[in-house]
Amino acid sequence: AMESGVARQPIQNWERYHHELQARIGIDQKLMNRVITQARQNPKTVVFAEADNYKILKAAQTVLEQKLAYPILLGERARIHELIAEFNMELEGCVIIDPREEDAKCEKFAHLLYEKRKRKGLSLYDCRKLVRYRNYFGCMMVETGEADALISGLTRDYSTTIKPALQVIGVEEGVNKVAGMYIMQNKKEPYFFADTTVNLQPTAEELVDIIGLTARYVRFFDREPRVAVLSYSNFGSSSGQVPTKTREATRLAKLRYPDLLIDGEMQANTALNTDLLREHYPFSELANEGANTLVFPGLAAGNIAYKLLQEMGGAEAIGPILMGMRKPVHILQLGSSVREIINMVAIAVVDAQTKTKL
Ligand code: ACO
């Protein structure tokens, strides 16, 4: 699982790296630079559930060098040492934990898991087996405060990785559904997309929750959300399930979040094109500036949209940022690059700083 040539060279100077990248592809790195600076001010322990993987170790090395986080490497000890030696990595100071060697800890975690899940069909026997899996083990470390955040998901599909997190950690108070956000950065400004990773077919009510959660996370990145609820119709121009649902979600969201700039339902180009908005829909709340936050009617649309842009649109994708978890857990996209992993670590650290303050 090697990345193309560049990954082999250690990134010596993070600011310069970002600067060069910005110059090369013209992407505005301000947002990520701010997150990285903030992460460094109070680095947190981040457990990597898939540390027997080259890209993860490479990312761990960089965040350690850059003093962004204190990595805990979870995985088969011999394999981790083999990779470190093979690629000549500097990972001194990282804690390596092999769940298979941790009998006492596994027993403790099994009992904790059993307490949480005994009325959800799990026996103590099941729990003893489950905590040997690194995603359960890693989530338990975050749950018990042995680590501040978890990064996983590089090598397994998203649903398999998110389930232990939902079962062990769950949602934060006041949140019904977690959802995934991507930040899409092009030359102009960052755009925020949700839900791109979790809820298959949210109802209008669930969309209202997703809108509230997304607005909060956009503010977490120091931007003021301007939300468009997307459909294949503009303000009642077509009928069907999606227009009806998104129109209703917009109506309810305006009531629930009176201070939020939001409108819909509308097509994606309408949301982003202020000329079009002003000419055809001057009554829209978004007519002045257009949207920077796009809420999709369902997972299919959101997931496909961000992946298309990532592959062909010249936009950098940062995410998926898992919103609404009680403690910071972030599930990577299968096959994320080292750079994407590092970005997610920085976000997880700032997420942990914020959550401990609450
Ligand atoms: N928010 C909060 N909690 C949730 C959510 C949610 N969105 N969805 C499920 N849960 C809870 C359930 O209520 C359940 O709680 P409980 O067991 O304590 O009562 C717990 O999580 C576990 O639920 P399960 O029944 O095991 O899982 P479920 O079948 O509900 O599936 C899942 C949840 C895995 C998130 C599912 O909805 C899913 O597969 N989503 C799509 C994931 C995906 O394929 N994404 C696209 C690819 S991602 C990418 O491209 C990067």
Side-chain angles (χ1 to χ4, degrees), residues 150-182:
L150 174 87
I151 297 280
S152 187
L154 180 68
T155 60
R156 298 288 306 272
D157 62 274
Y158 197 85
S159 352
T160 313
T161 318
I162 197 176
K163 275 194 186 195
L166 290 173
Q167 292 175 358
V168 172
I169 294 177
V171 297
E172 64 180 71
E173 219 185 297
V175 169
N176 294 317
K177 294 277 179 182
V178 300
M181 179 169 86
Y182 256 95

Side-chain angles (χ1 to χ4, degrees), residues 262-274:
I262 176 172
D263 212 352
E265 93 285 12
M266 68 179 81
Q267 297 171 350
N269 62 329
T270 308
L272 300 175
N273 185 330
T274 44

